[in-house]
Amino acid sequence: MTSTIALSKEDTVADNAREHTDNQGGQGRSEYHGVPANALPLTASEDRQWATLAHFGGILGCVPSLLIYLIFRDRGPFTAQESKEALNFSLPPTIAAVLANILVFIPVVGNIFAVIATLIWIALTCYSVAAGIHVNRGQPHRYQYNLRWIK
C-alpha cells in the first residue's frame, strides 16, 4: 500500500515537472533545476559568518575549513582569506592526530599515543575557538604558528 502511494507521489512530481516544462514553451527546463554555476557573492554578514565557521570547524579537523574554502573562496574575500588560514592551521594537527590514533593500536605504547591525540585535539579546539571569536568580530586572524602550505 505504501509503495503505491510513494509511486503515485513520484509520478505526480514528474508529471508536474513535465507540465511546467510544456507551459514554458518547450524550453526544456523544469522548475526542479539545480543551482546556477555562477553563484552570487556573499553579503558582508554572510562573508563574516562563513569565515567564522571555517575557524570553528577546526574542532572537527581540517575538513570543514577545506570545504568552506573550496565552496566559498570565489564568493567572498574575507571567507577566502580566513578559510585558507584555518585550513593551513588545522591541516598539520589533523594529520598528526590521525597518525596518533592509528598508532593507538600498538600494544605497549598505544596509551601514550591516545594521550597525544587527545592533547592535539584539545589544543586545536582552543586555538580554533579563539580564532573564530576573533573573526566573528570582523577582524582577520593570523595564527602565530602556521605553516601556510596553501598560498
Side-chain angles (χ1 to χ4, degrees):
M1 171 104 181
T2 59
S3 64
T4 323
I5 294 171
L7 182 60
S8 65
K9 285 182 182 179
E10 290 174 8
D11 288 340
T12 305
V13 170
D15 290 339
N16 288 342
R18 273 188 233 106
E19 288 173 14
H20 186 72
T21 302
D22 293 339
N23 291 339
Q24 289 182 343
Q27 292 176 341
R29 287 187 60 152
S30 71
E31 65 181 309
Y32 304 106
H33 58 83
V35 177
N38 52 353
L40 295 174
L42 297 174
T43 64
S45 64
E46 290 173 336
D47 201 14
R48 192 178 76 232
Q49 173 190 0
W50 284 109
T52 302
L53 289 174
H55 285 285
F56 282 148
I59 296 170
L60 302 174
C62 67
V63 174
S65 56
L66 174 65
L67 292 175
I68 291 171
Y69 177 71
L70 292 175
I71 294 170
F72 294 105
R73 69 178 170 205
D74 296 330
R75 294 182 58 197
F78 192 56
T79 299
Q81 171 188 336
E82 294 303 317
S83 62
K84 185 174 16 174
E85 183 73 13
L87 177 59
N88 278 324
F89 177 74
S90 61
L91 186 60
T94 301
I95 293 169
V98 167
L99 289 174
N101 280 315
I102 290 171
L103 295 174
V104 162
F105 296 108
I106 296 175
V108 177
V109 292
N111 292 335
I112 295 170
F113 288 111
V115 170
I116 290 171
T118 303
L119 292 175
I120 290 170
W121 179 75
I122 289 171
L124 189 59
T125 299
C126 292
Y127 282 112
S128 296
V129 168
I133 291 170
H134 193 234
V135 168
N136 193 36
R137 294 181 184 141
Q139 304 165 348
H141 184 77
R142 298 282 288 186
Y143 290 99
Q144 186 175 4
Y145 306 107
N146 200 348
L147 296 177
R148 292 183 181 81
W149 287 346
I150 300 169
K151 302 287 181 191

